[in-house]
Amino acid sequence: MTQTYDLIVRGGEVANHAGRGKADVGVIDGKIAFIGDLSQASAGEVFDATGLTVLPGVIDTQVHFREPGLEWKEDLETGSRAAALGGVVAVFEMPNTNPNTINQPTLEDKLARANNRMWTDHAFYVGGTHENADYLGELERLPGVCGIKVFMGASTGDLLIADDEGVRKVLTNTKRRATFHSEDEYRLVERRGLARTGDWTSHPEVRDSESAIRSTRRLVNLAKETGARIHVLHVTTKEEMEFLRFHKDCATVEITPQHLTLVGPEAYERLGAYAQMNPPIRSQEHVDALWLWGIQQGVADVLGSDHAPHTKEEKSKPYPASPSGMPGVQTLVPLMLDHVNKGRLTLERFIDLTSGGAQRVFGTANKGRMAVSYDADLTIVDMKAKKTITADQQATRCGWTPFEGREVQGWPVATIIRGRVVMKDGELIGTAHGQPVRFQETLGNDAK
């Protein structure tokens, strides 16, 4: 090929739909134009990927960046900065901000805030409520919306929909795949008294596995009844994995690096509040089931970080006053590459969970695959690099990580978004130019 490209990523090992092998990637106008031998081609910019592995850009389909209203924890700029530094090219951000993202004005406010401030491409969930259920079919089709998000277990503001009738109404009015935090609110309320002050090991007792499977059974039954498509977030239990494998016709599944990596009660004893998230970090039998059914047998469709930062001051409160949630967008790639290097999953499965899965589940347009005409989104990694995760590396405003001091092998060295090198060797380049992600089901509604 003698054509001139805007960018050539040269000499790396490319891993994509065609397999793994040495190849160059040529980019024109932000799109992939050719993959193969470009040794005779020229480019305005050449990225030397010798000794590195070139992956389709990693998409994190669940983050909480806290803006507006909770910016002391995180904001769209700092959260996306952490994402880009972690090798992530796009994020889908959650609606439990203040105000909640539940209508067109609050959505458009987030999109305006993101403009020229977010380093990564982005989309936003609209929260489903009892009050807006009738209008969700319109809201889910707005530009920049990745889908509807429903909390069946404890949440903030108006976002809780605990009852079957409320969930049924949401599913009846949505045509795209609706996304759920699946914990049974009624059981959670019953079990609050099991919380032992200052004892984080009681967290998975309060939010036990029965709370999760009870809610997920209800949700699947309602999806079947209404003919809806559902996406179950951060699945954590053996029971859910064994159940959901029989319902893949309507249900897709997310798992998180935290639930694959941390194990209770050890994590609670070592980390205290820094191991507290919802659903909880669980015992070894549940972690084993996530690996067996979720990873090895393919029940899990996507990997999301559930990045949900709180300040150290907030986390210093004794349980159960301490808030649930931990940062994770910047550590998703190195944690999972370390698991790849340890033989727990293949690199191909990692790609499936972090790019191909997002494309299939959410229907991203020209995104989620390293192929001709797709956005030139690339996550370039050094599979041999051994590094220690530290709080000092983290760009998140909360300034901590539950993986402090953990040595990993495999590290993101560059993030390329639509043909622009946004991060290289741990440094951000240029200015923030993230754009809203486009979706196949709503292309006609995109802003012109």
Side-chain angles (χ1 to χ4, degrees), residues 6 27-32 373-377 417-420:
D6 299 328
V27 178
I28 298 176
D29 293 334
K31 304 286 187 183
I32 295 172
S373 86
Y374 277 70
D375 286 354
D377 294 338
I417 303 175
R418 287 173 286 103
R420 295 180 64 250

Side-chain angles (χ1 to χ4, degrees), residues 318-362:
Y319 186 77
S322 50
S324 292
M326 61 180 74
V329 70
Q330 193 171 337
T331 53
L332 182 155
V333 172
L335 279 175
M336 295 309 298
L337 293 183
D338 187 58
H339 287 308
V340 170
N341 276 312
K342 287 182 167 63
R344 294 171 182 148
L345 75 164
T346 64
L347 188 62
E348 290 80 4
R349 182 68 171 121
F350 171 77
I351 292 169
D352 182 56
L353 288 163
T354 56
S355 55
Q359 200 281 328
R360 290 193 308 274
V361 172
F362 293 92

Side-chain angles (χ1 to χ4, degrees), residues 146-160:
C146 49
I148 301 302
K149 165 66 181 295
V150 175
F151 292 83
M152 293 175 71
S155 186
T156 56
D158 298 323
L159 291 176
L160 178 64

